[in-house]
Amino acid sequence: MTEDDKARSATIFDVARLAGVSHQTVSRVLNDMPNVRPGTRLRVEDAIKQLRYVPSPAARAMVTRRSRMIGLITTGSADFGPGSTALHFNETARDARYAVITAGLLEANAANVRAAAELLVRQNVEAIVLIVQQRSAVEGLGGFDLGVPVVAIASEDRGPAHRVWLDQYGGARAAVDHLVALGHRDIRLIAGPSESMDAAERSRGWFGALAAHGLVSREPLVGDWTPASGYAHGRTLAADGATAVFVANDQMALGLMRALAEAGLSVPHDVSVVGFDDIPEAEYFAPPLTTVRQDFVRLGREAMEAVLAVLGEPGSAERADDARVAAGTELVVRGSTAPPRAGAAGPAAAGGGGTAVVAGQTTSADEQDRSTQARV
């Protein structure tokens, strides 16, 4: 009999006999229940390892009335941010001994999200996590009783009571503040899709920073996150006369830089460019891209921590409320920004290919300026 055969054939009663305890004690150890002496717990854990025992999920659910499964709804996007967040959410769930069932949606509208949520509930998940940017998708579960808690990774308060997010607004403000400090006064925006909550917060941060500096905001150009849309808008901006562009993600910034180069304009000497996300390729752009770094690792982990808190898991961090910022952002200064050719009115940052990390704006800036901002 192979080792795999032994693992498949071992039962809870085999573990109990080897450890010298009852099968009820083994069940309590498997399900992290109290009232098990440390020495007894250690013997049971050693027996589990020796027998390579894998408990049946169905049997565990019958004993605990819990499935230890979490539902995850994503857009199925290949974008770096959502993909990284989902990956680290899954890792944190596994560390907490939860399994994750993922429903990937090509089109994350309200109807599709509801259908996916109902399907996950029928799989006996204990909670559902949403990683979607579309406003209507999150709103689709607002006030919709699924019988399990829902945690949304969402920049806006649009539905489920439990929410975590990264500070998109503060990151955008830091990007524009950097360009203003270099001396730029005409700072354009290539925004993300209007239905995206992240895009709306980045646009609001751009508008808020310009207003705080007394600068005029011109009509944003709206892209769809792809390099192609950045390229299309770049061809327009090449003849526009702006000295700086804040781009709502790095992929669109790549397309913009290609269009500017084809028009004979130099980045950063003719036009400075700041992106958002800090994708792995950003430092290898030509020139390396100044961008806003988001902590997707922490965001994924915080989402699972929120789930554990909502489910009342022992040892989970207590939450003072149902929504929290998972982390701020960092402005990573590289070679795509410099003072405008006419000279800088403010303090200039060093150019070249080096990298400097500057702390991004936090929600305190948001609170100071929210009353004066209009959503773009």
Side-chain angles (χ1 to χ4, degrees):
M1 180 180 292
T2 67
E3 290 298 316
D4 288 340
D5 290 334
K6 290 179 181 178
R8 283 193 292 268
S9 63
T11 69
I12 193 172
F13 299 100
D14 297 325
V15 174
R17 279 193 292 271
L18 183 58
V21 299
S22 68
H23 72 276
Q24 291 92 341
T25 298
V26 175
S27 178
R28 286 197 291 272
V29 172
L30 288 170
N31 294 289
D32 292 326
M33 298 175 72
N35 303 322
V36 179
R37 294 177 180 176
T40 302
R41 184 180 296 274
L42 182 60
R43 291 204 313 275
V44 171
E45 290 173 347
D46 287 342
I48 290 171
K49 291 178 182 178
Q50 184 174 337
L51 293 172
R52 299 179 62 195
Y53 171 64
V54 179
S56 162
R60 175 177 288 179
M62 289 178 64
V63 173
T64 64
R65 297 186 183 276
R66 297 188 59 181
S67 66
R68 299 197 72 82
M69 293 191 295
I70 305 298
L72 174 64
I73 300 176
T74 73
T75 60
S77 170
D79 290 346
F80 174 69
S84 297
T85 302
L87 173 64
H88 293 286
F89 172 80
N90 273 272
E91 286 189 347
T92 307
R94 185 167 59 250
D95 290 343
R97 298 175 61 188
Y98 278 84
V100 178
I101 303 175
T102 302
L105 303 176
L106 289 176
E107 185 178 354
N109 56 40
N112 287 348
V113 168
R114 282 192 178 189
E118 291 173 347
L119 178 62
L120 290 170
V121 169
R122 288 197 291 271
Q123 300 298 315
N124 296 320
V125 299
E126 296 188 39
I128 291 175
V129 174
L130 288 174
I131 304 180
V132 295
Q133 291 191 17
Q134 291 85 347
R135 190 175 293 110
S136 61
V138 176
E139 290 174 337
L141 290 185
F144 189 58
D145 186 9
L146 292 167
V148 298
V150 177
V151 175
I153 297 177
S155 301
E156 298 176 350
D157 185 5
R158 289 283 175 173
H162 309 290
R163 184 170 64 99
V164 296
W165 70 95
L166 295 175
D167 186 13
Q168 312 290 322
Y169 174 88
R173 285 205 55 147
V176 177
D177 287 345
H178 168 66
L179 292 169
V180 172
L182 289 173
H184 295 280
R185 296 296 177 264
D186 186 5
I187 302 170
R188 299 298 304 272
L189 170 67
I190 298 180
S194 58
E195 176 66 4
S196 167
M197 294 176 289
D198 287 353
E201 283 297 285
R202 295 170 197 178
S203 296
R204 194 170 68 85
W206 166 80
F207 182 90
L210 291 180
H213 290 289
L215 300 177
V216 174
S217 58
R218 299 169 66 183
E219 186 69 21
L221 302 173
V222 179
D224 62 4
W225 298 132
T226 66
S229 66
Y231 176 82
H233 289 313
R235 296 182 67 178
T236 299
L237 290 172
D240 190 71
T243 66
V245 184
F246 169 50
V247 191
N249 79 333
D250 292 346
Q251 286 92 342
M252 291 193 298
L254 175 62
L256 165 68
M257 291 166 69
R258 168 72 179 273
L260 294 175
E262 289 182 355
L265 296 176
S266 169
V267 175
H269 302 296
D270 295 314
V271 182
S272 285
V273 176
V274 180
F276 208 105
D277 285 338
D278 194 26
I279 62 176
E281 299 84 359
E283 64 179 313
Y284 299 102
F285 286 11
L289 181 65
T290 295
T291 185
V292 178
R293 177 180 296 162
Q294 301 194 78
D295 193 344
F296 297 116
V297 175
R298 185 170 176 182
L299 180 60
R301 291 175 179 169
E302 286 284 343
M304 187 60 204
E305 288 295 330
V307 170
L308 295 176
V310 169
L311 294 178
E313 281 282 359
S316 62
E318 293 187 3
R319 293 163 62 87
D321 53 36
D322 291 324
R324 60 179 170 184
V325 178
T329 52
E330 292 177 319
L331 177 67
V332 183
V333 180
R334 298 192 178 103
S336 66
T337 52
R341 280 190 182 277
T355 298
V357 179
V358 183
Q361 302 292 326
T362 65
T363 50
S364 60
D366 190 0
E367 293 166 356
Q368 293 169 4
D369 298 307
R370 185 181 293 274
S371 62
T372 66
Q373 308 310 314
R375 188 173 302 283
V376 176

